[in-house]
Amino acid sequence: MWAQLIAEARSEIFLAGYTDYFVWLEQPALLQTLRRKAEGGCRVRFLLGDPDSGSTRRREELEDVALSVSTRIRVTLENLAKLRDIDGVEARFSAPEDGPNHVGLSVFRFDEHALVTPHLARTVGHDSPLMHLRRSEEHGMFDRFADHIEELWSRGSDIDTIPARA
């Protein structure tokens, strides 16, 4: 489903998971796909948690797993560095005050489709339930989740610490 939603997105790919690391591991040639999407006019955005924030440290304590939350965020930052110079690819850290709201709910938007994961207590994201939503009405469930990530995005800060591509 992920590959299909990414492939079919024409105007918007918005990955607003706290780490987004798994998508780099599970989707073959994601860098090339996102580059092609952005160059074709699709807006590609990533909203991440700050790897050095208090929300990240608290989540790491709760999860208590070897692959820490901050490491998973850095996997995404490393991959985003390879897209740094592509127009149409944007990345932000969520605002510190939004950390608790962001770390507990991942929303991934692909045009009129969204995948939503509410993170269960002490559970790593990939072990939490995943819901597939389709926009079917104004102000419905899809719009509410889309509005949520837009609000987080509006208060976030641009990621300017991504190193330039070598």
Side-chain angles (χ1 to χ4, degrees), residues 7 34 55 57 65-66 89 95 105 121 137 147 162:
L34 294 179
S55 292
R57 285 189 298 280
V65 296
V89 178
L105 178 68
E137 62 183 332
D147 290 347
I162 300 172

Side-chain angles (χ1 to χ4, degrees), residues 31-62:
L31 280 169
Q32 294 85 348
T33 300
L34 294 179
R35 177 184 309 276
R36 204 169 47 253
K37 288 286 182 182
E39 289 171 346
C42 185
R43 185 179 189 193
V44 177
R45 293 186 287 170
F46 286 81
L47 181 66
L48 304 171
D50 183 334
D52 300 316
S53 73
S55 292
T56 297
R57 285 189 298 280
R58 282 188 292 284
R59 189 66 192 190
E60 287 176 341
E61 290 169 6
L62 284 172

Side-chain angles (χ1 to χ4, degrees), residues 12-21 24 44-50 73 76-77 80 89-96 98-99 101-103 105-109 145-159:
E12 174 93 25
I13 295 174
F14 189 178
L15 302 176
Y18 199 76
T19 69
D20 293 334
Y21 85 102
W24 302 102
V44 177
R45 293 186 287 170
F46 286 81
L47 181 66
L48 304 171
D50 183 334
I73 294 168
T76 295
L77 292 174
L80 285 173
V89 178
E90 304 167 74
R92 289 186 179 173
F93 287 133
S94 54
D98 289 330
N101 291 325
H102 188 193
V103 76
L105 178 68
S106 294
V107 180
F108 309 96
R109 181 177 178 184
F145 282 108
D147 290 347
H148 168 74
I149 58 175
E150 290 298 338
E151 183 176 340
L152 295 180
W153 179 264
S154 74
R155 288 194 297 267
S157 58
D158 289 338
I159 297 175

